[in-house]
Amino acid sequence: MTTSFRVVIPARHSSMRLPGKPLLDIAGKPMVVRVLERARQAGAAEIWVATDHEGIYAAVRAEGGQAIMTRPDHPSGTDRLAEVALLQGWDDGDIVVNVQGDEPLIAPELIVAVAQALAADSGASIATAAHPLKDVAEAFNPNVVKVVCDGRGRALYFSRAPIPWARDAWLADRSALPPGLPMLRHVGLYAYRVGFLKQYAQLVPSPLEQWEALEQLRALWHGHGIGVVVLDEAPAAGVDTVEDLARVRQIFAANA
């Protein structure tokens, strides 16, 4: 059975490390358009680029895409998605996938997978993804977010700390990951039910979220289930730095 879902691509012009990131050129097209092209391959019922910048809006429209102007003061992409859902009048049970505007290499199959995972779990409000973590340096890197899941495949907790903690193995040696340790690295792709998005702005931030600086902990704190799709391998990385941009440009040039 085919899962019906929508995609929203939040795209802000301001960026600390790469100003104007959504409009940076990748093989002759703005980055946000490259993301839009990937999302189109996923078969979404609708795709909207949500932005607060006229230049991004115009670039998407020039490529035949749907764009919508949203408020400039949203604290997160999730809040921007919620505004789009309200403006479009989507039903509470509808599924929306948040595809970041700096993911020009995102696999369409991954977008479909998180949408299907949420559709299959009626008790969850959100679905996301993760993959096995294989590098001990990443395990102890606070910039790498880890997730542990329950027997149903839902998230128990997200953390910047190494979880689960291999007590006995790391007491003896922390230079390697113990064989079989089920450590998962979180992938920041989310599918939401619209009903959750409508509630999101009213959810009080949790102490855990504030200490860990992880927005998804707010949903867990308030009792919302988060399903986790476990991938075999890490997906292609997004664009955060000048080096990332050069790498992505090389990949597009090689595949031209």
Side-chain angles (χ1 to χ4, degrees), residues 238-252:
V239 176
D240 289 319
T241 65
V242 172
E243 292 76 17
D244 292 337
L245 181 61
R247 169 181 52 82
V248 169
R249 283 172 168 168
Q250 288 177 348
I251 291 171
F252 272 84

Side-chain angles (χ1 to χ4, degrees), residues 5-197:
F5 64 94
R6 297 175 171 87
V7 167
V8 175
I9 304 170
R12 293 171 60 249
H13 189 265
S14 60
S15 171
M16 293 294 290
R17 287 185 283 187
L18 281 177
K21 182 163 59 170
L23 294 177
L24 294 175
D25 181 84
I26 297 178
K29 295 183 180 181
M31 184 186 306
V32 68
V33 171
R34 293 299 186 187
V35 178
L36 174 63
E37 291 173 342
R38 291 282 178 154
R40 283 171 171 164
Q41 295 175 43
E46 293 182 68
I47 305 171
W48 290 88
V49 174
T51 186
D52 56 5
H53 188 268
E54 292 285 355
I56 296 172
Y57 179 93
V60 172
R61 297 289 292 171
E63 289 291 331
Q66 297 185 111
I68 186 168
M69 293 296 294
T70 51
R71 286 172 22 209
D73 59 345
H74 284 305
S76 72
T78 309
D79 293 283
R80 201 172 300 279
L81 254 71
E83 183 184 356
V84 174
L86 287 169
L87 289 172
Q88 297 301 315
W90 293 335
D91 293 336
D92 286 358
D94 290 348
I95 292 174
V96 182
V97 181
N98 179 350
V99 176
Q100 298 298 325
D102 58 4
E103 298 276 358
L105 296 175
I106 189 168
E109 298 81 9
L110 179 53
I111 298 172
V112 174
V114 294
Q116 289 179 335
L118 186 54
D121 187 350
S122 61
S125 299
I126 306 170
T128 188
H131 64 85
L133 193 151
K134 300 176 181 178
D135 184 344
V136 71
E138 290 189 342
F140 288 93
N141 182 349
N143 294 317
V144 174
V145 179
K146 279 71 70 173
V147 58
V148 291
C149 301
D150 65 15
R152 298 170 296 176
R154 289 191 195 167
L156 285 168
Y157 192 65
F158 297 84
S159 183
R160 298 181 182 279
I163 56 173
W165 180 260
R167 187 195 68 172
D168 295 338
W170 277 335
L171 186 62
D173 179 13
R174 295 188 189 178
S175 65
L177 290 177
L181 181 68
M183 184 170 281
L184 298 173
R185 178 174 185 166
H186 180 228
V187 176
L189 175 70
Y190 296 95
Y192 300 96
R193 296 193 195 279
V194 168
F196 169 81
L197 289 174

Side-chain angles (χ1 to χ4, degrees), residues 183-230:
M183 184 170 281
L184 298 173
R185 178 174 185 166
H186 180 228
V187 176
L189 175 70
Y190 296 95
Y192 300 96
R193 296 193 195 279
V194 168
F196 169 81
L197 289 174
K198 291 177 179 177
Q199 298 178 42
Y200 180 77
Q202 282 71 50
L203 295 180
V204 177
S206 75
L208 296 174
E209 168 192 356
Q210 294 170 326
W211 281 108
E212 293 258 21
L214 294 175
E215 181 185 326
Q216 61 269 39
L217 291 175
R218 187 182 312 181
L220 290 182
W221 177 267
H222 290 280
H224 290 276
I226 302 178
V228 181
V229 177
V230 179

